[in-house]
């Protein structure tokens, strides 16, 4: 087990690009030919989301398969919407929302997220910004922390698996650009998984604007020094839980499990490190359409599912056991169908 | 009902990326996860160990190293029996931040807390930036215990937690003895010859 780290193993890069790898719109490989791999055991076959291994990899139970003809239909509908986006957003938002709830087709997802988030408009209005930020040196204070985080974002995803590969390089560019865009905010470690998820679906410049939108519009103040906004949302989640599921609420109170103990990673990373990948994508489809209330809802569903009845609480009589349950959520509560339905 | 003789709370602190989470996971789960993501907020794990027939339950709190998480992590120092202040021997900067961490401890931890300084990542010996002697001297000057570890190779990780448990048991016994004048003088230091205490694997 000790040898499973950033070793000297170099796999031949061709074998990593198996069929079924289908991320982003272009399917471009991110593997630098000379790059060192992050190091991981076992199978090198990618799942349909680009994962080679790890807990978030595709499993038949965690995901719903959409029949090809339905997918084709949806793609056409999304193409139609993207062509006339302003009209759809202002006049037929309910329809857009419904289609986000049904799941954005994988081939459309990158563009759809950029449109939904408003990143597209920002990018067009500030067409020179990213290039300019990208060409500047970052503040060493932030560059140092960012560099230490590059190899530990989704190390089981083919895009980020190789040290110094294109995925990690782009991640650096996006995060560094943000620290120059908002020097008052700098870099928060929870931004890295957010940027990485975006990069799995779009090029660096688009991902940068997506990140800007998430940090400023969707989760404002979450990543700022002091982290007050996310702590406040923790309190709000807790009081919502009182209404939604008082059994769970009382249990958490009784064992002094403060919201920051379980919801920081959920909220700050928008569940990207918590759920199986099919569910992450569906949650993000809805999150980028409807905003933070989706994150609250998912949080409440999970709490209710895990701690919502006396029977379930018997299994976690103490603070630690409860934390365990919250950390290792039962797969059946994270299935995309279950979450979306709830 | 609970099956242990002592319960101790241990909190890991130190800069981002020095290996706090990996130390905890190595000790509690025997794992060294490649590409372990940054800790967001706080987390905790439990492991019960037996030392010379005494059952000790260790509640190990792992904290985010980045400065902006400090407002959240600080509140977990106060009730800690021991702190593991971790730095990365291949990163001078993580060592230079130690005085800042000591100020944090001074301000937020209880004054009887046992602090151990840990230099992690000794498997990367060729990249070492902080000499052992320098760290030992620093630790001694601050009345801290000192140990170097490798979470990756599992070097000294068991020892770290078990030695700490030994010190805590001894302190707990001592406290029961001087029950009446309970608090020891703050700043007295913890120069306990703990290293010979445990001979267990």
């Amino acid at each position: 087990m000790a040898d499973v780290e950033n070793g000297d193993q170099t796999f031949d890069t061709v074998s990593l690009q198996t069929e079924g790898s289908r991320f982003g719109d272009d399917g471009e490989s991110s593997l630098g030919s000379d790059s060192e791999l992050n190091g991981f055991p076992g199978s090198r076959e990618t799942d349909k989301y680009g994962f080679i291994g790890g807990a978030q990899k595709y499993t038949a139970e965690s995901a719903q398969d959409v029949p090809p003809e339905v997918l084709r239909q949806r793609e056409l509908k999304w193409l139609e919407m993207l062509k006339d986006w302003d009209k759809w957003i202002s006049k037929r938002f309910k329809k857009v929302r419904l289609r986000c709830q049904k799941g954005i087709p994988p081939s459309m997802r990158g563009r759809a997220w950029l449109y939904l988030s408003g990143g597209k408009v920002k990018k067009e209005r500030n067409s020179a910004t990213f290039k300019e930020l990208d060409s500047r040196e970052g503040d060493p204070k932030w560059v140092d922390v960012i560099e230490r985080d590059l190899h530990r974002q989704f190390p089981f995803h083919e895009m980020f698996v190789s040290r110094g590969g294109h995925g990690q390089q782009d991640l650096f560019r996006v995060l560094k650009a943000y620290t120059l865009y908002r020097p008052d905010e700098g870099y928060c470690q929870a931004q890295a998984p957010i940027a990485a998820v975006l990069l799995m679906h779009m090029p660096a410049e688009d991902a940068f604007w997506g990140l800007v939108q998430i940090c400023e519009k969707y989760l404002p103040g979450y990543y700022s020094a002091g982290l007050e906004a996310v702590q406040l949302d923790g309190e709000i989640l807790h009081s919502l839980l009182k209404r939604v599921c008082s059994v769970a609420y009382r249990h958490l109170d009784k064992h002094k499990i403060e919201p920051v103990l379980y919801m920081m990673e959920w909220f700050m990373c928008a569940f990207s490190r918590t759920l199986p990948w099919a569910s992450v994508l569906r949650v993000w489809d809805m999150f980028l359409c409807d905003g933070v209330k989706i994150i609250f809802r998912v949080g409440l569903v999970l709490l209710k599912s895990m701690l919502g009845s006396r029977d379930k609480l018997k299994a976690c009589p103490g603070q630690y056991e409860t934390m365990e349950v919250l950390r290792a959520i039962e797969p059946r509560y994270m299935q995309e169908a279950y979450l979306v339905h709830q | 009902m609970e099956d242990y003789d002592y319960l101790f709370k241990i909190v890991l602190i130190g800069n981002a990326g020095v290996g706090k989470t990996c130390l905890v996971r190595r000790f509690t789960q025997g794992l060294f996860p490649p590409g372990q993501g940054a800790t967001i907020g706080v987390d905790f794990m439990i492991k019960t160990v037996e030392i010379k027939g005494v059952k000790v339950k260790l509640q190990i709190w792992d904290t985010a190293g980045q400065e902006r998480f400090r407002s959240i992590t600080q509140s977990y120092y106060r009730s800690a029996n021991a702190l593991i202040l971790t730095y990365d021997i291949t990163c001078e900067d993580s060592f230079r931040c130690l005085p800042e961490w000591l100020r944090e401890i001074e301000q937020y931890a209880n004054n009887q807390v046992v602090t151990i300084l840990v230099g992690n990542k000794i498997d990367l010996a060729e990249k070492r930036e902080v000499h052992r002697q320098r760290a030992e001297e620093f630790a001694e000057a601050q009345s801290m215990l000192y140990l170097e570890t490798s979470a990756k190779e599992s070097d000294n990780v068991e020892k770290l937690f078990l030695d700490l448990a030994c010190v805590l048991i001894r302190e707990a016994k001592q406290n029961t003895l001087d029950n009446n004048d309970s608090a020891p003088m703050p700043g007295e230091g913890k120069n306990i010859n703990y290293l010979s205490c445990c001979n267990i694997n």
Side-chain angles (χ1 to χ4, degrees), chain A residues 102-327:
Chain A
K102 286 183 173 172
I104 301 171
S107 61
M108 298 282 128
R109 194 166 260 134
R111 281 178 70 199
W113 282 3
L114 191 66
Y115 278 67
L116 280 167
S117 66
K120 182 171 180 290
V121 177
K122 274 239 156 147
K123 176 184 152 189
E124 281 164 359
R125 285 193 193 144
N126 306 278
S127 57
T129 305
F130 181 73
K131 210 172 163 198
E132 192 262 324
L133 298 171
D134 196 30
S135 67
R136 274 164 57 192
E137 292 270 315
D139 180 339
K141 171 173 76 172
W142 301 125
V143 167
D144 186 57
V145 198
I146 294 172
E147 278 176 344
R148 287 177 155 259
D149 281 351
L150 295 178
H151 72 285
R152 43 188 192 145
Q153 310 305 326
F154 306 105
F156 292 109
H157 192 277
E158 61 176 353
M159 196 171 166
F160 298 103
V161 78
S162 44
R163 280 234 179 195
H166 295 168
Q168 294 191 14
Q169 285 175 32
D170 280 350
L171 184 59
F172 176 78
R173 293 169 63 206
V174 169
L175 295 171
K176 185 210 73 182
Y178 188 82
T179 64
L180 292 165
Y181 182 72
R182 291 296 304 271
D184 54 323
E185 297 271 315
Y187 167 65
C188 173
Q189 289 190 303
Q191 287 171 319
I194 299 278
V197 175
L198 293 169
L199 278 170
M200 290 175 199
H201 296 90
M202 56 188 84
E205 182 175 6
D206 294 357
F208 168 75
W209 290 111
L211 178 67
V212 167
Q213 290 299 91
I214 288 175
C215 297
E216 295 185 348
K217 197 177 103 189
Y218 287 77
L219 307 172
Y222 264 38
Y223 307 103
S224 315
L227 308 178
E228 279 122 13
V230 68
Q231 293 185 68
L232 184 63
D233 278 359
E235 295 306 323
I236 294 172
L237 178 73
H238 194 53
S239 46
L240 286 172
L241 185 64
K242 188 177 185 176
R243 271 196 294 176
V244 173
C245 181
S246 61
V247 180
Y249 172 86
R250 282 196 306 271
H251 184 75
L252 291 173
D253 257 8
K254 182 173 151 198
H255 295 290
K256 299 194 175 56
I257 300 172
E258 296 163 33
V260 292
L261 276 180
Y262 57 86
M263 57 72 72
M264 292 280 287
E265 183 177 293
W266 291 0
F267 276 54
M268 293 185 85
C269 305
F271 289 103
S272 62
R273 297 202 334 189
T274 311
L275 304 173
W277 207 250
S279 305
V280 170
L281 296 175
R282 295 289 298 276
V283 167
W284 277 51
D285 289 347
M286 295 186 289
F287 166 58
L288 292 174
C289 179
D290 269 334
V292 73
K293 66 181 176 193
I294 298 298
I295 305 294
F296 275 99
R297 280 190 202 145
V298 174
L300 290 169
V301 168
L302 292 178
L303 289 167
K304 193 176 164 185
S305 306
M306 293 180 292
L307 308 171
S309 72
R310 286 182 204 292
D311 256 5
K312 284 171 185 159
L313 295 183
K314 272 187 202 145
C316 46
Q319 187 189 41
Y320 178 68
E321 292 85 350
T322 308
M323 282 289 290
E324 278 280 85
V325 168
L326 293 174
R327 189 165 38 212

